[in-house]
Amino acid sequence: QVQLVESGGGLVQAGGSLRLSCAASGRTFSNYAMGWFRQAPGKEREFVAAISWRGGTTNYIDSVKGRFTISRDNAKNTVYLQMNSLKPEDTAVYYCAARGRSYPVTAPEEYSYWGQGTQVTVSS
């Protein structure tokens, strides 16, 4: 089992920044690719970003490329999502997820463990 706890969400004005963190416990963190997903009200959960287990490969949805950066610190068992130039359409609950393989895929069904989520609200 892997337990994931997200933090860092909040209310920010358009153009602002937030950094989300996801702390993992329970298994060897460096054995898992990690992903960030989001779900807005009335919409399906969508992939945002993912990173391989050593951090050498990243993957982003097109709408956040150049604005968001995913990173990880395996010594701290933590994955981060730095979000800059935030837009109202980024408003959602953000979830981190762990996949017991090396490659950072985009499909949520490939991830076995999920956090509870953290709310991000971007005002216009």
Side-chain angles (χ1 to χ4, degrees):
Q1 287 285 348
V2 176
Q3 291 79 43
L4 302 172
V5 179
E6 302 97 335
S7 61
L11 173 64
V12 64
Q13 289 188 333
S17 298
L18 284 174
R19 188 175 83 154
L20 305 184
S21 300
C22 174
S25 62
R27 291 283 181 94
T28 304
F29 180 67
S30 58
N31 288 346
Y32 292 82
M34 299 297 296
W36 286 98
F37 294 78
R38 66 187 179 187
Q39 188 166 18
K43 295 187 176 180
E44 292 188 356
R45 189 170 299 188
E46 70 171 353
F47 168 79
V48 177
I51 188 167
S52 59
W53 56 15
R54 300 290 185 263
T57 301
T58 57
N59 202 347
Y60 297 91
I61 192 173
D62 285 347
S63 60
V64 308
K65 285 181 180 177
R67 299 190 298 122
F68 291 11
T69 303
I70 189 170
S71 61
R72 67 189 296 161
D73 185 338
N74 285 347
K76 295 182 178 180
N77 291 352
T78 302
V79 63
Y80 305 96
L81 185 67
Q82 177 67 45
M83 306 186 295
N84 298 328
S85 302
L86 282 160
K87 303 176 181 180
E89 51 263 43
D90 295 317
T91 295
V93 177
Y94 283 70
Y95 300 88
C96 73
R99 178 178 191 250
R101 298 288 182 94
S102 62
Y103 196 79
V105 299
T106 64
E109 59 267 25
E110 293 290 328
Y111 290 79
S112 301
Y113 303 102
W114 292 81
Q116 293 293 96
T118 185
Q119 176 71 47
V120 171
T121 303
V122 184
S123 63
S124 58

